[in-house]
Amino acid sequence: MTRDMPPDLTPRILDAVDAAFDDEVDFLAALTAHPSTRGNEQAAQDFMAGALAERGYAVDRWQIQLDDIRHLPGFSPVLGPYEDAVNVVGTHRARTNAGRSLILNGHIDVVPEGPLDMWDSPPYAPRVADGWMYGRGAGDMKAGLASNLYALDALRRLGLAPAADLFYQSVVEEECTGNGALACLARGYRADAALIPEPFAEELVTAQLGVLWFQVHLKRRPTHVAYAGQDANAIEAAIPLISALHEMEARWNGAAHRHHAYAHMDHALNLNIGRIEGGDWTSSVPAWCVFDVRMAIFPGQSIDAAKSEIEAVLMEAARGNAFLKNALPEIVYHGFHAEGYALSDDKSATAAQAIGALDLAHGAVTGEALERTAITATTDARFFGLYADTPALVYGPRAEAIHGFNERVDLESLRRVTKATALFIARWCGVEEI
Amino acid sequence: MTRDMPPDLTPRILDAVDAAFDDEVDFLAALTAHPSTRGNEQAAQDFMAGALAERGYAVDRWQIQLDDIRHLPGFSPVLGPYEDAVNVVGTHRARTNAGRSLILNGHIDVVPEGPLDMWDSPPYAPRVADGWMYGRGAGDMKAGLASNLYALDALRRLGLAPAADLFYQSVVEEECTGNGALACLARGYRADAALIPEPFAEELVTAQLGVLWFQVHLKRRPTHVAYAGQDANAIEAAIPLISALHEMEARWNGAAHRHHAYAHMDHALNLNIGRIEGGDWTSSVPAWCVFDVRMAIFPGQSIDAAKSEIEAVLMEAARGNAFLKNALPEIVYHGFHAEGYALSDDKSATAAQAIGALDLAHGAVTGEALERTAITATTDARFFGLYADTPALVYGPRAEAIHGFNERVDLESLRRVTKATALFIARWCGVEEI
């Protein structure tokens, strides 16, 4: 069932997005200027809370409490305190409640910018060139936060509001745990559907992988280099462990193990050695080394089973190593314990209706069919889909070099996504006079 | 030629060392309590300058100026400023000048202590147990600094002083460049011989290796892990480079390449990957990685030729790597450019006399012959031997776990070395009434 819209509403909504689009770009630049890496999101969240409050939304700004979420499915372990982890939700309560409720979700955290000399311009001084905005987080996913906000603004410009409750969420921790989105669930926010404009090039994400993070700690007594061969070197001891993990990665990618949404992909599951640190003096044989690993899993693959296999693989490799056999590695989980999620496996009528509404909205803006994609990353969509029985549509603008240098988002793509989002809201929630 | 000593002087010197040995141990503990890692030597140097001044030595305390040494043979490149690099020399000027002059040299810098939880007790809270003193630097080489000072004290206790000029040196930077010892040369300190009580277990070091330090920087544009296989991973790109360096290490250790003092050692030259750091986010494919390498060379092996071969090896390996062929590694030299040095190749009469004097001193204390050893590390001895035509005797106490956790020095060994040093001074310099 898809709600009909007055025939003249579509062009009016499109015009309303265009009318405010320069403002939207300015808003995106101001938001991107906040260096909201993990632990540093508060100023950006203040900015979001202010933007919601000045538009009349009821703003809920709260510090995440681990005790509220650690017992919930989907929780990911964290290291260190959560004093700086603040979520923001703006709530619109409908007068008529004639339509279906909606969560518009986006994350405020960005990944580290890396060495500054690799950027052509400073990562937190966003600039526009040739139709792209450059900056860390401009694509992943502050453009999505802007799109969600300005889609609602377009309706307001027409004297309209969603005819159902709508929750605008700006969450932390998408890039490492998802505990920000989980905390929104724990706080009771629920709706009939969710939309997350992650930057997947105007395609609908119908499947996403799960992700596990773990740290491998190697430690043993060191000595002066004059007295030791490489067998005693904690840094070099990491090498056979990394090899063993890649062998596991190849097995997990085998055709027999694939989720059907990834059947055509030879290497959907990427193992990444994302960080390493070891040793402290060039002429001391390093006694310690720590490396961080990200490994993907398919939808339906058990996290506990994946962890058991990872541990077995590491221990078997360690027992074959001169350095490690007497000092087995310690495996520390901090960060993602994320299951995979396939919207395409959700056979509910609600899911079909939500997808249908987005199909129509996308078609009205672009004149083209909405493409489906199975992505090789995770998003917060899993919380809605797996733990709240809520179909979660991931659909956002085109961006490039996310997690890289010179990250950028295509501003015309942002314009189209904002339009499609506004149309989707109008169709899904219905509209009412303000 | 070895000077005769009055027959009763030897037992009186031995007794004088015993009489002050508890004080010497206290002094060593106080010195070891200073965490004088590179850049943090100043408080320890103040302590040394005070100890020398209160004994009446003329104290020269100066900040090393790179412009004074960078043009000299034996100079090692450094990164960063030298504002905190302070040498201390205490000078005794003889009244009679009847004997041969001497430099007593030791280094005040210690290597980093590493993770504290690997120590059984805090590294800078020295403790004595079962005849050992534990602490970072207790062995390498604050025991040597104590021995040099208390050997002179023993003579003074008998109303005697060296009958030749004597320079007590406490230098920085032995553990990374040797520029502290070089700066002493540049300042004009010269003598007929030098003694350096590095902790080589009461053996005379007759050959030491050279050491090269270099950093390998790998850098390329990163991306989200969802879009990249391991070919793009800067951390994993280090692995084939490390392998190539180990192949070079094996070649250099080949029998045909060995210096005669190392002919019996299959693996005198150790290559050490001492530090590594790379990446900044578990779910970002790392765009950069830096690792630090220490490689040894034989006495007589050319530093320039060694560097050329290292560079060629790294570049050849890089050209065969998918990540690196488009972003060749950068090689940065900072730290040791140390040539090897073999006292046993010094065929001068002075060298023979100095060794003979130490033979006698060691024999008088221990009743045993002085063993010779070719070590697989470097020491500051090379500056005296190679660049100042001064035989440099490396002879010090027994220590364990230098550069490791629970570093410790054998206190009875320290007592014997202090005695042997006092006897050596008396024999080499002669003595005069104060």
Side-chain angles (χ1 to χ4, degrees):
Chain A
M1 178 200 82
T2 297
R3 222 154 284 258
D4 290 333
M5 299 210 313
D8 68 331
L9 186 55
T10 294
R12 289 170 59 215
I13 287 176
L14 301 182
D15 287 348
V17 169
D18 284 331
F21 192 67
D22 288 348
D23 278 355
E24 183 175 346
V25 171
D26 290 346
F27 177 89
L28 173 57
L31 185 56
T32 304
H34 288 282
S36 53
T37 48
R38 179 72 268 279
N40 304 303
E41 304 97 336
Q42 294 213 15
Q45 288 293 59
D46 289 343
F47 180 83
M48 289 304 310
L52 290 164
E54 77 187 23
R55 285 162 170 83
Y57 298 101
V59 174
D60 182 11
R61 180 186 190 285
W62 78 99
Q63 182 189 320
I64 300 174
Q65 302 293 337
L66 278 179
D67 286 346
D68 293 344
I69 57 174
R70 67 166 92 244
H71 57 288
L72 297 177
F75 174 74
S76 289
V78 289
L79 295 178
Y82 250 25
E83 285 153 20
D84 48 16
V86 170
N87 272 346
V88 170
V89 174
T91 294
H92 158 77
R93 295 283 174 197
R95 197 165 32 78
T96 61
N97 254 326
R100 290 161 297 200
S101 60
L102 182 63
I103 288 167
L104 299 176
N105 172 284
H107 66 84
I108 197 74
D109 56 314
V110 302
V111 299
E113 63 279 3
L116 291 181
D117 62 352
M118 300 285 277
W119 287 79
D120 292 339
S121 60
Y124 300 112
R127 67 185 166 89
V128 173
D130 298 329
W132 297 81
M133 183 179 293
Y134 291 80
R136 165 58 79 238
D140 184 10
M141 65 166 285
K142 288 172 173 175
L145 287 166
S147 171
N148 281 346
L149 193 65
Y150 279 81
L152 292 166
D153 281 2
L155 299 180
R156 173 199 318 268
R157 176 178 285 259
L158 304 176
L160 300 173
D165 290 347
L166 184 143
F167 308 101
Y168 180 105
Q169 301 181 339
S170 175
V171 303
V172 295
E173 289 258 322
E174 189 274 342
E175 296 285 7
C176 48
T177 63
N179 288 343
L182 180 61
C184 290
L185 284 189
R187 207 163 172 91
Y189 290 106
R190 291 288 190 288
D192 295 318
L195 177 73
I196 309 180
E198 289 270 15
F200 291 104
E202 302 173 52
E203 297 183 343
L204 175 64
V205 174
T206 48
Q208 65 183 40
L209 296 176
V211 170
L212 269 171
W213 277 16
F214 54 97
Q215 265 184 349
V216 182
H217 290 246
L218 309 178
K219 210 189 245 188
R220 221 184 66 170
R221 299 202 177 276
T223 185
H224 191 293
V225 62
Y227 305 124
Q230 64 195 93
D231 279 355
N233 188 308
I235 293 169
E236 300 201 42
I239 296 174
L241 299 185
I242 291 171
S243 293
L245 289 170
H246 279 307
E247 288 168 19
M248 180 195 77
E249 176 190 19
R251 283 198 308 277
W252 288 11
N253 275 298
H257 294 84
R258 292 179 202 159
H259 180 273
H260 61 82
Y262 297 89
H264 59 296
M265 290 193 207
D266 284 340
H267 203 283
L269 305 182
N270 283 316
L271 181 131
N272 187 51
I273 310 297
R275 288 188 64 244
I276 193 168
E277 202 177 341
D280 36 36
W281 192 253
T282 310
S283 281
S284 299
V285 181
W288 62 277
C289 181
V290 180
F291 60 94
D292 286 84
V293 187
R294 175 264 196 198
M295 181 64 204
I297 57 176
F298 286 119
Q301 196 173 344
S302 151
I303 290 204
D304 286 342
K307 286 167 65 177
S308 294
E309 187 166 346
I310 287 166
E311 289 161 20
V313 160
L314 287 171
M315 291 307 163
E316 187 191 336
R319 287 193 193 93
N321 178 271
F323 176 101
L324 295 169
K325 67 184 175 192
N326 295 316
L328 292 174
E330 185 190 0
I331 301 161
V332 175
Y333 296 95
H334 73 110
F336 284 122
H337 264 82
E339 294 185 273
Y341 164 59
L343 175 66
S344 57
D345 290 344
D346 182 343
K347 304 304 183 193
S348 68
T350 311
Q353 290 160 5
I355 294 169
L358 189 64
D359 271 333
L360 288 170
H362 177 82
V365 173
T366 65
E368 294 174 9
L370 177 59
E371 300 286 336
R372 270 68 167 162
T373 184
I375 63 170
T376 54
T378 185
T379 79
D380 278 343
R382 67 189 183 276
F383 294 98
F384 305 103
L386 297 178
Y387 312 122
D389 199 22
T390 304
L393 312 183
V394 175
Y395 169 81
R398 173 182 304 279
E400 293 182 351
I402 65 170
H403 291 219
F405 305 116
N406 300 326
E407 175 179 351
R408 64 181 190 170
V409 63
D410 177 341
L411 293 176
E412 282 308 307
S413 175
L414 172 60
R415 184 197 299 264
R416 288 190 296 272
V417 166
T418 307
K419 288 176 173 175
T421 300
L423 294 177
F424 173 76
I425 295 168
R427 192 173 291 276
W428 180 256
C429 302
V431 292
E432 61 188 25
E433 304 284 329
I434 291 176
Chain B
M1 181 197 81
T2 297
R3 222 155 285 260
D4 290 331
M5 297 209 316
D8 69 329
L9 186 54
T10 293
R12 290 170 60 212
I13 288 176
L14 301 184
D15 287 348
V17 169
D18 284 332
F21 192 67
D22 288 348
D23 278 355
E24 183 175 346
V25 171
D26 290 347
F27 177 90
L28 174 57
L31 186 56
T32 304
H34 288 281
S36 54
T37 49
R38 179 72 267 279
N40 304 303
E41 304 97 335
Q42 293 213 17
Q45 289 292 58
D46 289 344
F47 180 83
M48 289 305 309
L52 291 164
E54 76 187 24
R55 285 163 169 82
Y57 299 100
V59 175
D60 183 11
R61 182 187 190 285
W62 79 98
Q63 181 189 321
I64 300 174
Q65 302 293 335
L66 278 179
D67 286 346
D68 293 343
I69 57 174
R70 70 166 91 243
H71 58 288
L72 296 177
F75 174 74
S76 289
V78 289
L79 296 177
Y82 249 25
E83 285 155 19
D84 47 17
V86 170
N87 272 346
V88 170
V89 174
T91 294
H92 158 76
R93 294 285 174 195
R95 196 167 32 80
T96 61
N97 255 323
R100 288 161 298 197
S101 59
L102 181 64
I103 288 167
L104 298 176
N105 173 284
H107 65 84
I108 196 75
D109 55 315
V110 302
V111 300
E113 62 279 3
L116 290 181
D117 62 352
M118 300 285 277
W119 287 78
D120 293 337
S121 59
Y124 300 112
R127 67 184 167 91
V128 173
D130 298 329
W132 296 82
M133 183 180 291
Y134 291 80
R136 167 59 80 237
D140 186 9
M141 63 168 284
K142 288 173 173 174
L145 287 166
S147 170
N148 282 345
L149 194 64
Y150 279 80
L152 292 166
D153 282 1
L155 299 180
R156 174 199 316 269
R157 176 178 283 261
L158 303 177
L160 300 173
D165 290 347
L166 184 144
F167 308 101
Y168 180 105
Q169 300 182 339
S170 174
V171 303
V172 296
E173 289 257 323
E174 190 275 343
E175 296 285 7
C176 50
T177 63
N179 288 343
L182 181 61
C184 290
L185 284 189
R187 206 162 173 93
Y189 290 106
R190 292 286 191 289
D192 294 317
L195 177 72
I196 309 181
E198 290 269 16
F200 291 104
E202 303 174 50
E203 297 183 342
L204 174 64
V205 174
T206 48
Q208 65 183 38
L209 297 175
V211 170
L212 269 171
W213 276 16
F214 55 97
Q215 264 184 349
V216 183
H217 291 247
L218 310 178
K219 210 187 240 188
R220 222 184 65 173
R221 300 202 176 277
T223 184
H224 192 292
V225 62
Y227 303 126
Q230 63 194 94
D231 280 355
N233 187 308
I235 293 170
E236 301 203 44
I239 296 174
L241 299 186
I242 292 171
S243 294
L245 288 171
H246 279 306
E247 289 168 19
M248 180 194 77
E249 177 191 19
R251 281 199 308 279
W252 288 12
N253 274 296
H257 294 83
R258 292 180 202 157
H259 180 272
H260 61 83
Y262 297 90
H264 59 296
M265 290 193 208
D266 284 341
H267 203 284
L269 306 181
N270 283 316
L271 182 132
N272 186 53
I273 309 299
R275 288 187 65 245
I276 192 168
E277 202 177 341
D280 37 34
W281 192 252
T282 310
S283 281
S284 298
V285 180
W288 62 276
C289 182
V290 180
F291 61 95
D292 285 84
V293 187
R294 176 264 197 198
M295 182 62 203
I297 57 176
F298 287 119
Q301 198 174 344
S302 151
I303 290 203
D304 285 343
K307 288 167 65 177
S308 293
E309 188 165 346
I310 288 166
E311 290 162 20
V313 161
L314 287 170
M315 291 306 163
E316 187 190 335
R319 287 194 192 93
N321 177 272
F323 176 99
L324 294 169
K325 66 185 177 192
N326 295 315
L328 291 174
E330 185 190 358
I331 300 160
V332 175
Y333 295 95
H334 74 109
F336 284 121
H337 264 79
E339 294 185 272
Y341 164 59
L343 174 66
S344 58
D345 290 344
D346 183 343
K347 303 304 183 192
S348 68
T350 311
Q353 290 160 8
I355 294 169
L358 188 63
D359 271 332
L360 288 171
H362 177 82
V365 173
T366 65
E368 293 174 10
L370 177 60
E371 300 285 335
R372 270 65 168 165
T373 185
I375 62 170
T376 54
T378 186
T379 79
D380 279 342
R382 68 189 183 276
F383 294 99
F384 305 104
L386 297 178
Y387 312 123
D389 199 21
T390 304
L393 312 184
V394 175
Y395 169 81
R398 174 181 305 278
E400 293 182 351
I402 64 170
H403 292 220
F405 304 117
N406 301 326
E407 175 179 349
R408 64 181 189 169
V409 64
D410 178 341
L411 293 176
E412 283 308 307
S413 176
L414 172 59
R415 184 198 297 264
R416 288 191 294 273
V417 166
T418 307
K419 288 177 175 176
T421 301
L423 294 178
F424 173 75
I425 295 168
R427 193 173 289 277
W428 180 255
C429 302
V431 291
E432 62 188 25
E433 304 285 329
I434 290 175

